[in-house]
């Protein structure tokens, strides 16, 4: 795991420019939001997530996350069918601030087109560069 | 539902409005336009970078570019709005390069803030008169300090002047504050309370000259001295802190009416007299909760609350701004000073007759080491016996007491009720008899 100006970027994940991470777990893909995202939002008070069985599409919103001041779309990093939704985050949205990469996972998806869509995401090294860029434009 | 919301101004009020609008409308196009290079930073924090408590001006950025990206707010910085056309519902802008654009809006939020005011003093066009309003102003002042400025004259003893004065003393400069009125913090405190703050500042080395009007700026192209109250004062740094004036040019040119205070007139929804055009923050006028008279209270707390209300309304929701008490606090060296509601002087101006009660006490049990002094002054309206104002000066723990009294005033608590109020204490935290309750008893003694 690397820290870019305080923002955590773990290895073993793929990242999207819409502040999301995915972890490939065999046939499934776990999705969440990054440390960078939760730090922009601050104290998250609400997460609206889809139900199991819903379809998600790469680069399209599948839910929302809300903090005291901000509200942000959750944008799918890959397309597929939602298999599992993190009910713990629904009842304790602050998990997204506390542990965005692990206990704060949002949905588990059966991807429909991973081979084609994966190159659209950033790997660890690219993500570190991206975070460095974000930090510089402050 | 509005399709495009334009916010002119991207600091405390503007960003709050844009965020609130986004919360209501997830798909509307929301554009913030600011003349400044940096958006979403804390002006109130500037003195603390100058003084060194905060290490960099960058740390004052509350809303970095990623925030705008995440909320899908379009930020146009270094862009000037040159005109508003309320009939066509458009704004015209000019960017750094000079290219102009005309943008139609469904709702418009004017958050143009206020500018540092310069009275018509002879020589004011000379170079080298700094003020502290923007990030760039802060950088200029700090640069001057780093370039070796050893002394400063600050003109105006309001919050900005004094906080800047404290910051410069912390950087090792010799500071003289010149104030036209007979007391410091004339808007915030009555003379008896202001005196305590003045004494503390003077003990800390600040030279304070009251009842001295700045008459002239001296020097060739650059200011090298001022004439104030017949006295010539030289310094390396000259900072004007005469107050700020609502930035209303765009509104005036567009025919959007101003109110009595010469700030933009608004209704309870922060809407101006022109439908779908809102005004918020330092440029907007609203009503004082006690006198019900128009007021333009230029405070961060008011900017964000008005911003939230206007943002919701601009996006098609319903929200009211309930009025201003202008509660304010500051810390100057080791003294905290706060006010809520009317000072005795403000009450007199409003022809409201009051009785006051003052108590001096300590912030911990008297016998507890590190207890600091605290003085509470209550201002109570004679007929209803309602609390209409309070000022507190203390070594610590002033803010939450001001907030408690602010709530009391908003709930129209009488001084009798305050004298009976339940409070908490423990020796390391408070005196057994809460000073606010004792101050209420002081008032009751006068009403006997």
């Amino acid at each position: 795991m690397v820290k870019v100006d305080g923002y955590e970027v773990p290895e073993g994940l793929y990242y999207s420019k819409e502040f999301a991470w995915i972890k490939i777990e065999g046939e499934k893909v776990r999705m969440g939001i990054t440390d960078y995202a939760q730090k922009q939002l601050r104290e998250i008070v609400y997460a609206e997530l889809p139900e199991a069985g819903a379809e998600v599409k790469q680069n399209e919103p599948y839910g929302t996350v809300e903090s005291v001041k901000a509200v942000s779309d959750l944008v799918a990093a890959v397309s597929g069918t939602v298999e599992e939704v993190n009910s713990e985050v629904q009842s304790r949205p602050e998990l997204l601030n506390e542990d965005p990469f692990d206990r704060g996972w949002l949905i588990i998806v059966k991807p429909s087109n991973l081979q084609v869509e994966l190159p659209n995401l950033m790997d660890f090294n690219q993500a570190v560069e991206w975070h460095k860029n974000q930090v510089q434009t402050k | 539902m509005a399709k495009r919301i334009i916010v002119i101004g991207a600091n405390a009020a503007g960003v709050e409005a844009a965020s609130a609008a986004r919360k209501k409308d997830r798909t509307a196009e929301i554009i913030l336009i600011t003349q400044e290079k940096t958006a979403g930073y804390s002006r109130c924090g500037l003195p603390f970078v100058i003084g060194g408590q905060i290490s960099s001006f960058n740390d004052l950025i509350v809303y970095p570019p990623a925030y705008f990206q995440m909320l899908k707010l379009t930020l146009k910085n270094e862009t000037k709005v040159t005109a508003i056309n309320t009939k066509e519902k458009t704004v015209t802008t000019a960017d750094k390069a000079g290219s102009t654009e005309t943008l139609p809006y469904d709702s418009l939020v004017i958050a143009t803030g206020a500018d540092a005011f310069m009275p018509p003093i002879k020589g004011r066009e000379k170079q080298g008169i700094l003020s502290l309003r923007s990030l760039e102003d802060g950088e200029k002042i700090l640069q001057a300090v780093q370039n070796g400025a050893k002394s400063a004259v600050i003109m105006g003893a309001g919050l900005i002047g004094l906080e800047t004065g404290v910051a410069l003393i912390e950087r090792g400069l010799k500071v003289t504050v010149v104030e036209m009125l007979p007391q410091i913090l004339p808007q915030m405190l009555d003379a008896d309370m202001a005196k305590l703050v003045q004494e503390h500042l003077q003990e800390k080395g600040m030279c304070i000259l009251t009842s001295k009007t700045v008459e002239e700026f001296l020097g060739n192209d650059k200011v090298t001295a001022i004439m104030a109250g017949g006295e010539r004062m030289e310094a390396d740094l000259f900072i004007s802190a005469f107050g700020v004036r609502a930035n209303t040019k765009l509104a005036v040119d567009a025919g959007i009416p101003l109110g009595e205070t010469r700030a933009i007139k608004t209704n309870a929804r922060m809407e101006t007299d022109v439908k779908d055009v809102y005004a918020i923050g330092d440029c907007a006028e609203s009503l004082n909760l006690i006198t019900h008279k128009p007021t333009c209270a230029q405070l961060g707390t008011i900017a964000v609350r008005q911003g939230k209300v206007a943002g919701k309304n601009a996006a098609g929701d319903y929200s009211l701004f309930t009025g201003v008490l202008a509660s304010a606090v500051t810390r100057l060296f080791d003294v905290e000073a706060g006010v809520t509601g009317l000072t005795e002087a403000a009450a007199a101006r409003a022809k409201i007759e009051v009785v006051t009660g003052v108590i001096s006490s300590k912030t911990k049990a008297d016998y507890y080491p590190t207890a600091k002094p605290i003085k509470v002054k209550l201002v109570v309206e004679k007929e209803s016996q309602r609390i209409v104002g309070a000022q507190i000066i203390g070594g610590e723990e002033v803010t939450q007491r001001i907030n408690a009294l602010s709530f009391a005033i908003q709930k129209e608590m009488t001084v009798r009720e305050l004298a009976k109020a339940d409070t908490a204490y423990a020796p390391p935290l408070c005196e057994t008899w809460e000073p606010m309750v004792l101050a209420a008893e002081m008032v009751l003694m006068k009403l006997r």
Side-chain angles (χ1 to χ4, degrees):
Chain A
M1 195 254 291
V2 150
K3 272 202 181 179
V4 179
D5 199 26
Y7 300 113
E8 290 183 9
V9 187
E11 285 144 326
L13 307 176
Y14 287 87
Y15 294 82
S16 78
K17 294 199 173 75
E18 298 274 5
F19 315 103
W21 58 264
I22 65 159
K23 189 167 185 210
I24 301 175
E25 298 176 351
E27 298 279 300
K28 312 224 182 116
V29 164
R30 193 181 294 258
M31 239 188 268
I33 60 169
T34 60
D35 185 43
Y36 186 75
Q38 70 83 4
K39 284 195 163 105
Q40 301 311 315
L41 292 161
R42 317 264 183 96
E43 288 77 22
I44 294 171
V45 296
Y46 185 65
E48 195 184 306
L49 299 174
E51 288 189 356
E55 293 293 316
V56 299
K57 253 190 150 157
Q58 188 178 54
N59 294 330
E60 285 191 17
Y62 66 89
T64 58
V65 68
E66 217 176 296
S67 68
V68 172
K69 259 197 270 283
V71 69
S72 182
D73 281 331
L74 294 167
V75 178
V78 295
S79 312
T81 315
V82 178
E83 299 237 321
E84 235 185 290
V85 176
N86 191 346
S87 51
E88 220 198 326
V89 161
Q90 282 172 315
S91 52
R92 280 197 64 231
E94 58 273 24
L95 256 184
L96 288 170
N97 298 114
E98 289 165 18
D99 200 355
F101 292 110
D102 190 3
R103 291 176 62 215
W105 64 272
L106 293 172
I107 55 174
I108 295 176
V109 160
K110 184 155 198 283
S112 54
N113 211 355
L114 192 57
Q115 295 277 47
V116 173
E117 291 181 342
L118 198 56
N120 296 336
L121 300 177
M122 299 182 278
D123 65 18
F124 171 69
N125 289 319
Q126 291 168 326
V128 170
E129 279 313 300
W130 182 88
H131 278 82
K132 283 189 182 154
N133 255 317
Q134 290 292 112
V135 161
Q136 254 166 23
T137 49
K138 201 186 193 199
Chain B
M1 286 263 186
K3 296 207 197 72
R4 182 190 271 171
I5 303 168
I6 294 184
V7 180
I8 307 178
N11 259 331
V15 179
E16 198 73 38
S19 305
R22 175 56 77 218
K23 270 208 166 181
K24 170 63 188 174
D25 190 333
R26 309 305 313 287
T27 56
E29 194 186 355
I30 302 176
I31 304 175
L32 293 111
I33 307 173
T34 174
Q35 282 183 98
E36 297 196 65
K37 186 160 180 229
T38 310
Y41 68 88
S42 162
R43 283 189 208 289
C44 305
L46 290 169
F48 305 103
V49 179
I50 295 174
Q53 289 86 356
I54 299 173
S55 53
S56 136
F57 288 106
N58 261 356
D59 293 340
L60 295 179
I61 299 173
V62 177
Y63 301 104
Y67 178 86
F68 296 91
Q69 217 187 329
M70 239 192 185
L71 269 71
K72 299 195 171 34
L73 305 173
T74 307
L75 175 65
K76 289 178 188 285
N77 63 342
E78 293 186 296
T79 304
K80 193 173 150 78
V81 173
T82 51
I84 301 171
N85 186 325
T86 58
K87 278 207 188 65
E88 306 288 313
K89 292 184 89 169
T90 59
V91 304
T92 310
T93 65
D95 69 10
K96 215 164 52 160
S99 338
T100 61
E101 207 186 346
T102 299
L103 297 165
Y105 64 80
D106 294 291
S107 300
L108 180 66
V109 181
I110 302 174
T112 45
D115 292 325
F117 171 65
M118 174 57 76
I121 299 170
K122 188 170 174 207
R124 66 187 177 282
E125 67 291 335
K126 296 191 208 292
Q127 301 288 321
I129 305 169
L130 301 179
S131 55
L132 186 58
R133 172 75 189 171
S134 70
L135 200 80
E136 261 140 36
D137 293 339
E139 287 171 333
K140 279 193 198 139
I141 294 175
L142 191 56
Q143 186 65 248
V145 170
Q146 285 160 349
N147 285 348
K150 295 274 180 294
S151 60
V153 161
I154 299 179
M155 297 163 276
L159 283 172
I160 296 175
L162 294 181
E163 285 180 2
T164 310
V166 168
L168 292 175
I169 290 178
E170 279 165 347
R171 288 282 186 181
L173 275 75
K174 189 174 177 312
V175 171
T176 303
V177 174
V178 175
E179 164 59 48
M180 176 177 82
L181 293 176
Q183 61 165 96
I184 64 168
L185 298 171
Q187 300 301 326
M188 190 183 174
L189 300 172
D190 285 320
D192 56 338
M193 301 297 269
K195 192 151 171 292
L196 297 172
V197 180
Q198 183 170 338
E199 281 165 3
H200 178 71
L201 291 170
Q202 284 167 323
E203 266 166 43
K204 288 290 192 173
M206 191 182 285
C207 177
I208 298 177
L209 303 169
T210 51
S211 300
K212 285 226 186 305
T213 309
V214 177
E215 287 140 359
E216 195 177 346
F217 291 104
L218 305 169
N220 293 322
D221 298 315
K222 199 164 182 289
V223 177
T224 51
I226 63 165
M227 281 304 279
E231 225 182 286
R232 186 195 160 89
M233 294 173 204
E234 288 182 359
D236 298 328
L237 207 50
F238 294 90
I239 298 178
S240 76
F242 294 109
V244 296
R245 290 290 181 276
N247 205 332
T248 57
K249 184 167 192 312
L250 275 175
V252 169
D253 290 346
I256 298 164
L258 304 183
E260 251 174 67
T261 61
R262 311 314 297 149
I264 304 171
K265 186 155 163 268
T266 63
N267 62 19
R269 295 181 70 182
M270 298 314 300
E271 199 177 22
T272 65
D273 278 359
V274 177
K275 190 170 175 298
D276 297 328
V277 177
Y278 300 83
I280 53 175
D282 287 357
C283 70
E285 180 184 276
S286 54
L287 294 180
N288 180 288
L289 275 172
I290 303 169
T291 61
H292 307 297
K293 295 223 139 260
T295 180
C296 180
Q298 289 151 329
L299 296 167
T301 44
I302 293 173
V304 297
R305 283 168 50 225
Q306 290 180 343
K308 197 172 208 171
V309 166
K312 284 175 121 175
N313 290 319
D317 201 348
Y318 170 74
S319 190
L320 297 181
F321 181 71
T322 47
V324 161
L325 263 191
S327 308
V329 284
T330 186
R331 175 195 232 119
L332 300 165
F333 293 118
D334 305 323
V335 127
E336 294 177 5
V339 63
T340 179
L342 302 179
T343 57
E344 210 180 337
R349 284 194 296 271
K351 301 275 200 280
I352 295 176
E353 289 190 23
V354 298
V355 176
T356 63
V358 187
I359 193 85
S360 291
S361 184
K362 289 280 176 79
T363 58
K364 304 183 203 296
D366 196 15
Y367 53 80
Y368 199 91
T370 73
K372 299 193 163 87
I374 190 164
K375 192 166 192 175
V376 176
K377 176 174 181 175
L378 283 185
V379 180
V380 171
E381 190 276 311
K382 239 172 56 172
E383 191 179 33
S384 64
Q385 299 193 355
R386 286 200 220 128
I387 304 161
V388 292
Q391 294 151 66
I392 307 182
I393 309 216
E396 61 186 355
E397 306 286 350
V398 164
T399 308
Q400 298 313 325
R401 288 190 162 90
I402 286 292
N403 284 341
L405 291 171
S406 174
F407 296 159
I409 294 171
Q410 287 171 82
K411 288 306 281 181
E412 300 182 339
M413 195 181 216
T414 64
V415 64
R416 260 174 226 293
E417 288 166 324
L418 180 56
K420 298 270 187 183
D422 184 84
T423 62
Y425 114 98
L429 300 171
C430 189
E431 270 282 27
T432 328
W433 275 106
E434 164 55 44
M436 297 185 286
V437 168
L438 292 180
E441 297 211 338
M442 294 295 112
V443 175
L444 289 179
M445 271 197 221
K446 287 192 186 171
L447 289 171
R448 261 206 302 242

